[in-house]
Amino acid sequence: MSIWISKSLLGAAALMALAACQMTDPPPSRFSGPPPARMGVAGGQVIVAGPRGFCIDREVSRDAQGGAALAVLSACRGLGGGLLGPAPSQSAVLTAAVAAKGRLIDIDAAAAGLDRYFQSDRGRAALSRSGKAATIRIREGFAENGAFLLYLTDSTAFSWGAVQPEYWRALLQVGGRMVTVAVLAVPESPLSRDAGLSLLREFIASLRNATETAAIPKA
């Protein structure tokens, strides 16, 4: 593995850890009005938006004003979006962790190295919510359309409540930042492998489209 890829993987590990460590208990509610469908982070470089029916959970989403950020999305209806709004195709919690500005990874070129890394103890520890490699089982890992997708099991308890141990996660470039996205299901609304993968692909497409659309200069 080249030095370039090795340094990039260290950044990937930090980003994966960001997704887990920032998911702490939310503060008391300080918002009113309907939840937004999108959230600009990283100084506006990245626009986080989910598939139809998903909105930003403002209580737990964080943006370090141009630095790292974490956006959490769930059903708009459950966040006060009203019963007449669209319902998501699948019930789940979506997360997008955006890294501080730094080294970018060419996902397609680094795919083999990423696969080896996430199979290693160090890589699995970076994926774990507890930071312990033993809690992670990698079921699948592959590159697809400029993103590296992982299907894994994490036996660590989730700080917000019970979630399905099996879930999908992806690492990709968006708006000049490295971003990791995840699809988490709750036990009462479990997602099959294929349903979770489909929702992950929708999330990636929505994220890319929102960011690219915002970058187009207005006439």
Side-chain angles (χ1 to χ4, degrees), residues 37-81:
R38 59 188 59 206
M39 175 181 177
V41 299
Q45 286 184 262
V46 179
I47 309 299
V48 179
R52 178 179 170 84
F54 283 93
C55 287
I56 302 294
D57 187 337
R58 293 169 291 183
E59 302 290 352
V60 291
S61 298
R62 301 285 184 270
D63 180 20
Q65 301 302 314
L70 177 69
V72 180
L73 302 87
S74 60
C76 300
R77 292 182 178 183
L79 295 173

Side-chain angles (χ1 to χ4, degrees), residues 15-173:
L15 180 57
M16 295 298 186
L18 167 74
C21 293
Q22 287 202 16
M23 301 180 81
T24 54
D25 293 335
S29 177
R30 63 188 188 280
F31 298 103
S32 60
R38 59 188 59 206
M39 175 181 177
V41 299
Q45 286 184 262
V46 179
I47 309 299
V48 179
R52 178 179 170 84
F54 283 93
C55 287
I56 302 294
D57 187 337
R58 293 169 291 183
E59 302 290 352
V60 291
S61 298
R62 301 285 184 270
D63 180 20
Q65 301 302 314
L70 177 69
V72 180
L73 302 87
S74 60
C76 300
R77 292 182 178 183
L79 295 173
L83 296 178
L84 298 180
S89 60
Q90 301 282 350
S91 184
V93 174
L94 312 180
T95 67
V98 181
K101 192 171 184 179
R103 186 182 295 271
L104 298 176
I105 302 174
D106 182 335
I107 298 293
D108 292 327
L114 287 167
D115 186 52
R116 289 193 298 271
Y117 176 72
F118 289 124
Q119 293 283 353
S120 72
D121 287 347
R122 190 173 186 178
R124 286 184 290 115
L127 292 167
S128 172
R129 288 189 284 268
S130 65
K132 297 178 180 179
T135 71
I136 295 294
R137 176 189 172 194
I138 304 295
R139 294 172 172 267
E140 295 179 55
F142 56 91
E144 176 183 279
N145 299 324
F148 192 81
L149 280 59
L150 287 165
Y151 186 47
L152 61 150
T153 298
D154 189 344
S155 61
T156 307
F158 191 52
S159 62
W160 293 348
V163 294
Q164 185 176 325
E166 299 81 19
Y167 74 103
W168 281 97
R169 181 179 274 192
L171 178 68
L172 64 154
Q173 283 188 40

Side-chain angles (χ1 to χ4, degrees), residues 3-18:
I3 293 175
W4 179 85
I5 291 179
S6 297
K7 287 182 177 178
S8 296
L9 293 183
L10 290 177
L15 180 57
M16 295 298 186
L18 167 74

